[in-house]
Amino acid sequence: MLSMSLFLFLTEAVLISLSGVMAPGPITAVVVGKGSQSPRAGAMVAIGHGIVEFPLMVAVFLGVGRLLDAPVLKAAIGIAGGVFVAWMGVGMLRQFRQDAIRPEGEGRSPLLSGILLSITNPYFLVWWGTVGAALILRSFEFGLIGFIAFGLGHWLCDLAWDSLLGLAAFKGGQFFGNRFQQVVFVISGVMLLFFGGRLIWDGLRVVLA
């Protein structure tokens, strides 16, 4: 009975996780942009994301999640994160001017991009302080094994989706060549500018409210 209940919980948790993982955002844009150059870019972004996410899961369980709902912290993370994301967008748009895309993209490794985008994304932090916190508390109904299974299951959703996106972008780059990569970088850059602007605006609204 316990194993069936745990299975049902994990199924629900995976579906909820996928709804967040698959939503367009800065990480999606970076995975597509860097994936056009390397088939492993998506997986490396997911690993960088996990480096932030696993400790955060533990912190949320210990009660830090309540701090993520503080308006001042939300505003600070939003504005700082928005500036960083917009800066990455500008870096990607610069690639369009080049005759050949450099293998290292705009100069930052996918692993580091995954780490930095996770730290500076207020929506990611607030999700863990609300939805994620609720799922973590439920996971502990099944003991430590429930918490570990939930954490791994959630991150594997990130890994699977980002790897798929990165591989699809890489295959497209191989087939269509450098022009495809330039177009991908423009689209990804514009997306990052949009998301960066939205993060800054949301942060300013909290300050001005």
Side-chain angles (χ1 to χ4, degrees):
M1 182 64 69
L2 178 62
S3 60
M4 179 57 69
S5 299
L6 177 58
F7 174 77
L8 292 175
F9 163 70
L10 291 176
T11 300
E12 178 185 352
V14 165
L15 292 175
I16 294 173
S17 298
L18 283 173
S19 67
V21 169
M22 298 175 68
I27 286 183
T28 301
V30 170
V31 167
V32 172
K34 291 185 176 295
S36 66
Q37 301 171 323
S38 170
R40 297 183 298 275
M44 295 306 295
V45 169
I47 291 173
H49 183 68
I51 289 174
V52 175
E53 195 163 47
F54 284 119
L56 183 60
M57 291 182 196
V58 176
V60 167
F61 175 74
L62 295 176
V64 177
R66 291 189 294 271
L67 297 177
L68 299 178
D69 209 31
V72 174
L73 186 58
K74 278 185 180 179
I77 294 173
I79 295 173
V83 171
F84 172 71
V85 170
W87 177 64
M88 289 191 70
V90 172
M92 283 195 170
L93 288 174
R94 287 175 179 169
Q95 301 301 308
F96 180 72
R97 298 180 179 180
Q98 300 179 7
D99 294 329
I101 303 295
R102 294 194 308 269
E104 66 271 20
E106 93 312 348
R108 186 176 298 102
S109 72
L111 179 68
L112 183 58
S113 295
I115 293 174
L116 294 176
L117 285 173
S118 300
I119 293 173
T120 58
N121 187 346
Y123 300 118
F124 164 72
L125 298 176
V126 170
W127 190 92
W128 276 112
T130 53
V131 179
L135 291 173
I136 286 175
L137 290 177
R138 286 185 58 193
S139 74
F140 259 78
E141 296 176 8
F142 307 99
L144 184 59
I145 187 65
F147 174 69
I148 294 175
F150 163 71
L152 287 175
H154 176 85
W155 179 73
L156 286 174
C157 290
D158 289 311
L159 179 64
W161 179 247
D162 290 343
S163 296
L164 180 62
L165 280 181
L167 184 59
F170 179 74
K171 291 296 183 182
Q174 278 190 319
F175 185 79
F176 293 106
N178 189 64
R179 179 57 60 184
F180 173 84
Q181 289 185 325
Q182 289 179 319
V183 171
V184 166
F185 265 69
V186 169
I187 294 174
S188 298
V190 171
M191 287 178 62
L192 287 172
L193 286 176
F194 169 77
F195 290 123
R198 192 177 69 176
L199 290 174
I200 294 171
W201 171 243
D202 288 346
L204 290 174
R205 283 198 305 173
V206 174
V207 173
L208 299 175

